[in-house]
Amino acid sequence: MQTRMTPMTEILEGPEAIVAAIARLGLGQPIAFPTETVYGLGADALDNDAVERVFALKGRPTTNPLIVHVAGCEMVDELVEEWSSDAQKLADAFWPGSLTLVLNKSELVPDIVTAGGPTVAIRCPSHPMALGLIEAYGKPIVGPSANPSGWISPTTADHVARGFAGQDILILEGGACRAGIESTVVDLTGDAPIVLRPGVISTDQISRVLGVDVQIKQHQDEDIARSPGTTGAHYQPAKPTLLKKTAELGAAGPDIYVISWSGGIADDARSSSLPEDAAGYARGLYNAMHEADASDASEIWIERPPKTDDENHNKEDAPIWHAVMERLNRACHPTV
Ligand code: AMP
Ligand code: MG
């Protein structure tokens, strides 16, 4: 009789998890690891074949560049042509944290990481397990969100396991992600710094550190390949998902899963209520989408976030609501 090993999705925690992850990284096998934004699918950023496996596992088009994760500024030097004073200022202010810097790449960075382009996106995550992993491995690690391409980003180890059920992948257990949405991406390679993807760190915060006005790039269709997270459908549940005004929620039938922030909705098998503050909402959003997608509802309704120019509204929340809206516009199917 012949026995056959089948690939296994395995979740491990603690120091044992780091040891196992490092062994796999050395063999060019993908692992999933927690960061404070979302869980990433990790591979040695300097190992072309390992990075290829990450693209294949995600089903991600190779025209979409990956973010390289480092444990600190010392690791960046060999990855970039020049580490500018603006890069140093931003790293001093926001690293470890949810800010990704786009810089001109060095020869060392394989083309597959940058989708053949001359620039590389780099971030130092603040999650202790991510930092511990990269430090222990001693080399930079790519980390696109650990989900099949186009689907909802994972903010727990279980979300990752659901996305890659039965696949040969080791998942490091690091709890629920604190920020809950992807990093802010700022491009420092042009004449002026520009934000390619909004996130929890706002343009105002970046402007204050650099002493210049920083804008968010208005994306054109031709940017799709360059900044995949920024244009078109993305972060999508498999079920039809619609954005609804607060007043429309009362019309939700029993077959509809409702995700709301304004209260008055029971948190049960067919609904999730999220906090009213933007940071709390961002932290819980992807989990609510995962729950909705796993439920037996036929459709998902998401309550439109509050208008940020509303007088009753906390002004400091506006940038995070903007980043949330970015994700919702891509998660939701057009209303007919
Ligand atoms: P993900 O890791 O799935 O959240 O997506 C990576 C994001 O990083 C993309 O959506 C891009 O916006 C950004 N990115 C990665 N590399 C580059 C680069 N070289 N130039 C511009 N943006 C990049
Ligand atoms: Mg992603």
Side-chain angles (χ1 to χ4, degrees), residues 60 65-67 102 119-121 143-145 182 185 196-197 226-230:
R60 179 169 172 125
L66 305 183
I67 295 173
V102 173
T119 63
V120 61
S145 52
E182 297 78 0
V185 179
L196 303 179
R197 176 174 72 185
R226 188 151 191 236
S227 269
T230 52

Side-chain angles (χ1 to χ4, degrees), residues 58 60 144-145 147 153 182 197 234-235:
K58 271 183 70 75
R60 179 169 172 125
S145 52
N147 54 282
S153 300
E182 297 78 0
R197 176 174 72 185
H234 211 76
Y235 319 113

Side-chain angles (χ1 to χ4, degrees), residues 60-319:
R60 179 169 172 125
T62 48
T63 47
N64 292 4
L66 305 183
I67 295 173
V68 175
H69 293 71
V70 294
C73 294
E74 326 74 60
M75 248 186 215
V76 179
D77 272 351
E78 61 173 13
L79 304 174
V80 299
E81 219 166 59
E82 193 204 352
W83 180 245
S84 62
S85 63
D86 278 358
Q88 186 66 55
K89 283 183 203 161
L90 291 175
D92 286 344
F94 301 114
W95 281 7
S98 319
L99 185 71
T100 297
L101 305 178
V102 173
L103 299 160
N104 287 314
K105 84 173 195 79
S106 73
E107 299 245 308
L108 193 66
V109 180
D111 285 338
I112 184 158
V113 171
T114 66
T119 63
V120 61
I122 304 177
R123 178 169 99 84
C124 176
S126 70
H127 193 296
M129 203 169 191
L131 281 175
L133 173 73
I134 305 165
E135 255 161 34
Y137 189 57
K139 287 204 270 175
I141 293 173
V142 291
S145 52
N147 54 282
S149 195
W151 201 44
I152 317 159
S153 300
T155 54
T156 68
D158 286 339
H159 297 161
V160 181
R162 220 181 271 169
F164 295 110
Q167 308 244 42
D168 181 18
I169 172 173
L170 168 66
I171 305 167
L172 305 193
E173 174 60 78
C177 301
R178 197 165 36 77
I181 58 171
E182 297 78 0
S183 61
T184 305
V185 179
V186 61
D187 186 350
L188 297 177
T189 64
D191 292 337
I194 188 154
V195 167
L196 303 179
R197 176 174 72 185
V200 169
I201 293 174
S202 69
T203 47
D204 279 355
Q205 286 176 282
I206 298 170
S207 296
R208 255 177 269 139
V209 169
L210 296 182
V212 293
D213 188 37
V214 176
Q215 300 290 325
I216 297 180
K217 182 160 187 190
Q218 300 306 310
H219 289 276
Q220 312 293 325
D221 285 348
E222 62 264 28
D223 293 328
I224 294 176
R226 188 151 191 236
S227 269
T230 52
T231 319
H234 211 76
Y235 319 113
Q236 282 196 325
K239 294 187 201 296
T241 303
L242 301 171
L243 260 187
K244 293 283 181 180
K245 296 197 185 95
T246 306
E248 293 174 307
L249 295 183
D255 205 26
I256 291 175
Y257 193 107
V258 177
I259 298 175
S260 95
W261 56 269
S262 66
I265 297 251
D267 216 332
D268 59 22
R270 288 278 175 80
S271 57
S272 292
S273 73
L274 291 175
E276 227 178 306
D277 69 289
Y281 184 100
R283 190 176 302 126
L285 176 62
Y286 288 147
N287 185 59
M289 284 192 201
H290 276 280
E291 294 303 310
D293 225 11
S295 76
D296 60 0
S298 64
E299 199 173 295
I300 304 167
W301 286 10
I302 303 181
E303 180 181 11
R304 191 172 274 285
K307 281 207 165 50
T308 49
D309 50 6
D310 184 333
E311 278 191 2
N312 304 321
H313 197 77
N314 177 359
K315 294 279 174 291
E316 309 218 318
D317 274 1

